[in-house]
Amino acid sequence: MLRHTAILAAALSVCACSSTSLDQANGDPNGKSPIGVRVCCARPEPKREEAVPEHEPALSANSVYFDFDQYAISEKYQSVVKAHAAFLTAHPDRYVQLIGNTDDQGGPEYNLGLGQKRADTVANQLILLGVDKRHIETVSFGAERPRATGDDETSRAENRRVDFFY
């Protein structure tokens, strides 16, 4: 246990908060995303137990996937975002955390920024669909939380995603 704590502390000190984000590169001197969340990997794992509410079969897809080095939502995943928006507008007491992830290609700071851009893109789409922005939190873990561990394109594609947590 002590070893895991030391590893976690070292990892957090290395990636506490990125000094350069895609927003800064695009002219936002504060490094903030459009909905005001700083790019940072030092956040804890989501405390929500429920990735998708069990009683909502329409929300069976709880991830939106992205093409390599992209943060635009493809047509294929628009229905996923719309289903989550419908759920959130019908349940104004619910909150969602959007977690942006990337594959292992690219540097840590770039991947954190790209993961944040992906999460922000999904958040902005939810807002356009009527979800109150105060009920959305975005977080980027970059390449730190892979779903698949292989070095092949199939594994990397599985890691380029935004996950919904309620």
Side-chain angles (χ1 to χ4, degrees), residues 20-38:
T20 305
S21 70
L22 292 179
D23 292 317
Q24 286 174 320
N26 290 331
D28 183 353
N30 298 319
K32 291 188 176 183
S33 69
I35 58 174
V37 179
R38 190 170 288 281

